Amino acid sequence: MKAGSALKVRVLRQHRPHAARLASLLGEAFDVQGAAAPTADADVLVTTHLSPDEAATTQARLIQVPGAGTEGIAWQRLPAGCLGANVYCHEIPIAEYVLHAALSHVLRAHAPLALTAWSWPSAYLHRPLRGEIHGQRMTVVGTGHIGQEIAHRARAFGMTLVGVNRSGRAAAGFDRTLPVTRLDEALPNTDVLVLCCPLDDSTRQLIDGRRLGLLPHTSLLVNVARGEVVHEQALYLALRDRTIAAAALDVWYRYPAADDQALAPSAYPFDELDNASMTAHISGWSRGLIERRYQAIARNILRLAAGERPANQMWPPSPA
């Protein structure tokens, strides 16, 4: 940055509403603006998506992803010297979402009722027994920030935790961990399968029809990773045919570019299934998340301005 010039920070696309928040955190020494697309003179781009053409023509020194998932950036097309970093901070609300899904699954027979003089006697005298998550077995695919936060909370409910990652390395909060090559061993003994792994070539359609068939028919699947981690058609059929009991789905196969666009989240009618809980990618979307996330982004931009390495730098990749 030239002496006396303001570092230009552009907050792109759907993240534009948070430009003012970031500007207040950074102060007047930084030029922070929201933008619909990358600008040629930007020093920092805060974005979850950068096309190959946009990446190839940017002059930015830092691509700051305002989240954990980085698959939307064409990293290989960035010019030499451009750094990339992501940010976490969303593991708390995502873990709460997962536990809410698990609790809702066992409490589904006890949905709130309008108790009147006519309904109360029958509702009380014939109330059904429900399940408990205490003692249930949860398998978590992905044992990073999110997976460990889920394990921490699930353990408080008395659940047994199995973590699955690439190497099988131990992770905090889990009773045991397995490499992904042994995932099939865990599935038949799983009451709740949680997906919170990154999406890449090794995890795309990791959960296919065969693996869904290994789960108990009473099991719950919770996907807070990416839609494509689960085979789309196989998931629909497994729910429709009751191969598994239910699914809580917060991530999808199609995403809109604008709110006036008519677009279903999947090619299959999950909305017609009574055992599919559908949410609009909100598992990590909380007020606390936004506060923590933009504070972390501001710290990274300050580090860049000071000539320091940004936290959570993931581009260029470290040598093996």
Side-chain angles (χ1 to χ4, degrees), residues 139-196:
T139 297
V140 180
V141 180
T143 61
H145 292 77
I146 297 170
Q148 290 179 34
E149 199 73 30
I150 292 167
H152 174 70
R153 283 160 173 72
R155 181 173 294 280
F157 281 92
M159 302 185 81
T160 299
L161 279 301
V162 175
V164 177
N165 54 40
R166 287 187 173 91
S167 65
R169 69 188 183 282
F174 293 93
D175 295 291
R176 65 185 181 119
T177 54
L178 297 172
V180 70
T181 53
R182 294 176 59 189
L183 174 59
D184 289 3
E185 297 177 27
L187 295 179
N189 300 307
T190 295
D191 297 301
V192 182
L193 175 63
V194 181
L195 306 175
C196 56

Side-chain angles (χ1 to χ4, degrees), residues 1-2 6 17 58 80 82 90 92 94 128 130 200-201 226 259:
M1 183 172 62
K2 296 178 181 179
T58 187
C82 183
H90 55 350
I92 292 172
I94 291 179
R130 66 169 178 85
D200 57 29
D201 290 342
R226 290 292 185 266
D259 58 11

Side-chain angles (χ1 to χ4, degrees), residues 2-309:
K2 296 178 181 179
S5 63
L7 199 71
K8 295 181 174 63
V9 180
R10 298 296 177 258
V11 185
L12 302 187
R13 302 184 174 104
Q14 74 267 33
H15 308 290
R16 282 180 289 171
H18 304 297
R21 181 189 303 272
L22 185 57
S24 68
L25 291 167
L26 288 170
E28 296 181 357
F30 294 82
D31 174 8
V32 182
Q33 299 179 30
T39 57
D41 60 345
D43 297 296
V44 178
L45 296 176
V46 179
T47 182
T48 47
H49 294 86
L50 208 61
S51 72
D53 287 345
E54 291 171 337
T57 57
T58 187
Q59 298 179 36
R61 296 164 52 196
L62 172 66
I63 307 301
Q64 174 66 64
V65 178
T70 61
E71 71 278 2
I73 308 295
W75 297 108
Q76 299 288 345
R77 300 294 301 276
L78 290 173
C82 183
L83 305 179
N86 64 352
V87 65
Y88 295 95
C89 307
H90 55 350
E91 51 268 24
I92 292 172
I94 291 179
E96 291 178 354
Y97 176 97
V98 169
L99 269 296
H100 176 270
L103 288 165
S104 296
H105 183 56
V106 297
L107 289 165
R108 64 191 183 282
H110 288 270
L113 301 172
L115 296 175
T116 68
W118 301 106
S119 64
W120 161 238
S122 177
Y124 170 68
L125 294 173
H126 302 288
R127 61 196 187 276
L129 293 171
R130 66 169 178 85
E132 302 173 341
I133 64 171
H134 178 86
Q136 285 198 351
R137 302 156 299 182
M138 177 181 281
T139 297
V140 180
V141 180
T143 61
H145 292 77
I146 297 170
Q148 290 179 34
E149 199 73 30
I150 292 167
H152 174 70
R153 283 160 173 72
R155 181 173 294 280
F157 281 92
M159 302 185 81
T160 299
L161 279 301
V162 175
V164 177
N165 54 40
R166 287 187 173 91
S167 65
R169 69 188 183 282
F174 293 93
D175 295 291
R176 65 185 181 119
T177 54
L178 297 172
V180 70
T181 53
R182 294 176 59 189
L183 174 59
D184 289 3
E185 297 177 27
L187 295 179
N189 300 307
T190 295
D191 297 301
V192 182
L193 175 63
V194 181
L195 306 175
C196 56
C197 55
L199 176 67
D200 57 29
D201 290 342
S202 70
T203 60
R204 197 178 304 276
Q205 298 189 4
L206 177 68
I207 306 300
D208 55 12
R210 183 186 66 80
R211 283 186 164 137
L212 288 166
L214 294 176
L215 289 165
H217 72 277
T218 54
S219 63
L220 168 71
L221 182 149
V222 184
N223 191 1
V224 291
R226 290 292 185 266
E228 292 89 344
V229 172
V230 188
H231 189 284
E232 185 176 9
Q233 182 186 50
L235 176 59
Y236 173 77
L237 294 176
L239 290 167
R240 187 197 67 181
D241 300 340
R242 307 282 173 172
T243 303
I244 61 174
L249 306 173
D250 189 51
V251 289
W252 294 97
Y253 302 91
R254 300 169 171 175
Y255 281 82
D259 58 11
D260 59 354
Q261 178 184 5
L263 181 72
S266 169
Y268 297 89
F270 284 91
D271 58 298
E272 297 177 1
L273 303 176
D274 63 5
N275 57 348
S277 172
M278 303 172 66
T279 51
H281 208 131
I282 51 83
S283 59
W285 205 235
S286 69
R287 286 184 289 273
L289 160 76
I290 297 300
E291 290 291 340
R292 291 187 296 271
R293 176 170 287 177
Y294 280 89
Q295 288 171 5
I297 291 172
R299 288 194 295 270
N300 253 5
I301 295 170
L302 290 170
R303 289 172 69 91
L304 180 74
E308 300 174 4
R309 176 189 175 98

